[in-house]
Amino acid sequence: MSLTIDQFLKQELERLKTSGLYRDMKRITGHIDTTVSIDGKEVILLSSNNYLGLAFHPKLKEAAASALREYGTGACASRLISGNMEIHEELENKTAKFKGCQSAIVFPTGYMANIGVITSLAGNGDLILSDELNHASIIDGCKLSGAEVRVYPHKNIEKLKEILSQGNASSSKGSYKRMLIVTDGVFSMDGDITPLPEILDVAREEDALVILDDAHATGVLGENGKGTAEHFGLTDENLIHMGTFSKALGSMGGYIAGSKVIIEYLRNNARPFIYSTALPPSVCASSIAAIDILEKEPSIRTRLWRNIARFRKGLTNLGYNTMESQTQIIPILIGDASLTMKFATAIFQKGVYAPGIRPPTVPEGKSRIRTSLMASHTDEQIDKVLAVFESEGRRLHII
Ligand SMILES: Cc1ncc(COP(=O)(O)O)c(C=O)c1O
C-alpha cells in the first residue's frame, strides 16, 4: 500500500536527520547587532549580511518610521494595479542613478529579481551560461526560463568562451536566438570576485548579454560601494545589474538596473513583479536612506575593509585556509562535514556564531565555517573571535 502524505513526509524528514542534512533555525531574541542572544546565549554574530551595520543605523530607522506614519504599513496591491506609490519610483530613480544606469525596477526580494530578469530575457531556443557557484535564485531562474542551461566551471573564462562560440556556430537546435551569461559578482559561499572584465570581453565577442548579481557586492565593492563594475572601473551599457537592498543596505527588496528598454520590458514581463504586492513604503524609505548613507558616509565602508583585513590576517597567522576569498565573506575551510559541525558548535559554546556549511550547499570535502564581517564589529570583538578560533581549532586539531 502506498504511504499517506504524512507518512511520506515524516520518512523524508527522518532521512534528512539520519544523513545529517536536516535544517533547523537558531532563534534570536531581541535585536540583531554585532552581538545577539541565541537560545539565551550572548554571542558575537559573524554571519550577518548587514555588512555596513545599516540595519540599525538611526537614519534608516527614522526614515522607515516616518514613512510608516505617513503612508501606513503596506502598499496592498501589485505595482501594476494600485500599489505603485511615489516612493517606489523615487527608490527606482535613486537606484538607477547610484548604479549609473538609465533605469531600474524594484522587486519585493532579490530572489524574485533574479527569477524575474532571467525568465524575461531567456526562454525556449536561448542559451544561458551560469557559473557553477551561482546563487540558488539564479539556478531557479535558469530552470524556470525554459532556456538551455550550461553550467561552466567556476570563473573559467576559457570554458565560457568555448561554450559560447559553439553556441554561436550551432547547437542541437541550430543557432540560439539569444545567449545570456549570469554570474554572481561576489560569490556568497566563497567570497571571491567574478572576473567581470574578461566576462564582458567574451560577451562582446560572442554577442551575449550579461547579468551580474551584485547581492553581496552592492555597498561593499568599489570606491563608492557601487559594486563589482565599479571595483573593476568598468562602465558597460550592455551590463544588466541585479542587486539587493537586503544585505549591505540593511533593508529589503531586490532590483534590476539597466537600459530603459530592458526595464520597461521587465515591467511588462517579469512575473514576480506583476503578480506580487509592491514593497511596503517604509521599506522603500529605508533603502533610499541607505543609498544616501553610502554616498555621504564612506567612512563606514573604510571601517568594513579595515575589519576584513584585521580578521583575514589573524586567520592566516593562525594557519587557517580562507580559500580564494577577497571580500567580507571569509570561508574557513575545514573539509570534513562532521568536523566542521563540531567546530561550529565549539565556537558557539565559546561565544561566537558562524554557521558550518556542508554538502549539498558546498561540494563534498569542502565543508567550511562561513564568516562575514560587519563595519560595526569592534577590534575587541574581532580579537575575541580570533582567540576562540585559536583555542578551539587547536583543541580539535584543525590547526
Ligand atoms: C548572490 C545572491 N543573489 C540573490 C540573493 C537573494 O536576495 P534576497 O535575500 O534579497 O532575496 C541572495 C541572498 O541570499 C544572494 O546571496
Side-chain angles (χ1 to χ4, degrees):
M1 210 177 77
S2 66
L3 298 176
T4 65
I5 182 71
D6 267 22
Q7 287 167 330
F8 170 75
L9 297 179
K10 280 181 185 156
Q11 185 180 293
E12 282 301 293
L13 287 168
E14 214 37 58
R15 190 182 58 73
L16 289 175
K17 281 178 187 160
T18 49
S19 54
L21 297 176
Y22 185 79
R23 295 170 191 256
D24 54 9
M25 294 185 281
K26 298 250 181 276
R27 182 187 298 131
I28 292 179
T29 39
H31 68 294
I32 301 183
D33 205 323
T34 51
T35 59
V36 288
S37 173
I38 298 178
D39 300 335
K41 190 173 171 57
E42 191 76 13
V43 288
I44 297 173
L45 183 62
L46 209 60
S47 67
S48 174
N49 300 323
N50 183 19
Y51 305 127
L52 298 174
L54 297 191
F56 37 82
H57 194 293
K59 286 186 185 156
L60 264 78
K61 291 201 250 180
E62 188 40 48
S66 150
L68 193 65
R69 282 191 293 269
E70 190 170 348
Y71 304 114
T73 50
C76 300
S78 147
R79 295 279 300 282
L80 293 172
I81 304 296
S82 57
N84 184 37
M85 303 167 78
E86 262 181 327
I87 201 160
H88 294 111
E89 295 190 6
E90 187 186 340
L91 175 59
E92 289 177 338
N93 292 337
K94 192 142 187 111
T95 304
K97 197 161 166 237
F98 175 64
K99 295 300 277 189
C101 296
Q102 288 176 347
S103 192
I105 177 172
V106 298
F107 291 75
T109 67
Y111 184 96
M112 292 162 85
N114 266 336
I115 302 285
V117 68
I118 297 170
T119 56
S120 294
L121 298 183
N124 243 330
D126 297 329
L127 174 67
I128 304 178
L129 291 102
S130 176
D131 187 290
E132 68 175 325
L133 295 191
N134 276 345
H135 187 254
S137 54
I138 295 180
I139 296 170
D140 293 358
C142 290
K143 277 189 194 150
L144 274 173
S145 72
E148 191 171 328
V149 182
R150 297 281 303 273
V151 174
Y152 60 91
H154 185 45
K155 298 196 298 189
N156 189 326
I157 297 298
E158 282 313 306
K159 193 69 194 168
L160 178 66
K161 207 169 169 167
E162 186 188 312
I163 303 172
L164 276 173
S165 55
Q166 284 165 3
N168 257 337
S170 65
S171 74
S172 48
K173 304 178 197 118
S175 274
Y176 295 101
K177 281 187 292 179
R178 192 177 302 135
M179 296 194 293
L180 189 67
I181 304 168
V182 197
T183 179
D184 280 9
V186 169
F187 290 89
S188 57
M189 290 296 138
D190 290 53
D192 55 342
I193 302 173
T194 201
L196 188 62
E198 290 86 346
I199 289 179
L200 288 174
D201 284 348
V202 174
R204 231 171 277 120
E205 274 167 37
E206 302 292 344
D207 195 21
L209 289 169
V210 180
I211 299 176
L212 173 70
D213 177 338
D214 254 354
H216 296 278
T218 303
V220 174
L221 287 191
E223 208 184 323
N224 302 292
K226 295 184 184 208
T228 309
E230 190 186 40
H231 169 78
F232 287 109
L234 291 167
T235 45
D236 188 311
E237 280 176 15
N238 296 318
L239 183 59
I240 300 160
H241 302 258
M242 176 271 165
T244 61
F245 301 107
S246 61
K247 303 188 192 298
L249 299 189
S251 179
M252 183 78 195
Y255 65 82
I256 303 295
S259 70
K260 261 198 176 112
V261 65
I262 283 184
I263 303 306
E264 188 181 343
Y265 185 74
L266 293 183
R267 261 186 234 123
N268 283 276
N269 207 277
R271 293 171 68 85
F273 176 81
I274 299 172
Y275 297 108
S276 214
T277 297
L279 279 171
S282 55
V283 169
C284 298
S286 52
S287 301
I288 290 168
I291 298 176
D292 268 339
I293 290 170
L294 287 189
E295 289 167 346
K296 292 184 188 139
E297 298 182 38
S299 59
I300 303 181
R301 208 168 34 261
T302 309
R303 171 81 210 173
L304 173 65
W305 282 99
R306 220 179 67 99
N307 283 352
I308 296 168
R310 186 181 187 93
F311 189 50
R312 192 193 309 285
K313 187 164 169 235
L315 289 171
T316 310
N317 288 344
L318 290 175
Y320 281 108
N321 179 352
T322 57
M323 304 178 73
E324 309 271 298
S325 163
Q326 300 161 269
T327 64
Q328 77 284 8
I329 297 169
I330 307 185
I332 297 161
L333 185 68
I334 309 286
D336 179 70
S338 64
L339 183 58
T340 302
M341 299 322 284
K342 226 187 236 174
F343 188 52
T345 306
I347 58 172
F348 181 75
Q349 277 158 1
K350 296 281 176 189
V352 178
Y353 177 59
I357 311 283
R358 313 158 269 187
T361 308
V362 292
E364 208 62 56
K366 291 268 173 82
S367 291
R368 66 197 68 173
I369 300 290
R370 179 190 182 273
T371 67
S372 54
L373 271 291
M374 292 189 241
S376 40
H377 280 126
T378 62
D379 288 355
E380 292 69 34
Q381 286 174 327
I382 293 174
D383 293 347
K384 154 127 200 240
V385 170
L386 288 168
V388 167
F389 275 50
E390 178 169 17
S391 65
E392 296 313 290
R394 289 203 201 291
R395 193 174 64 76
L396 294 173
H397 306 293
I398 292 169
I399 49 168

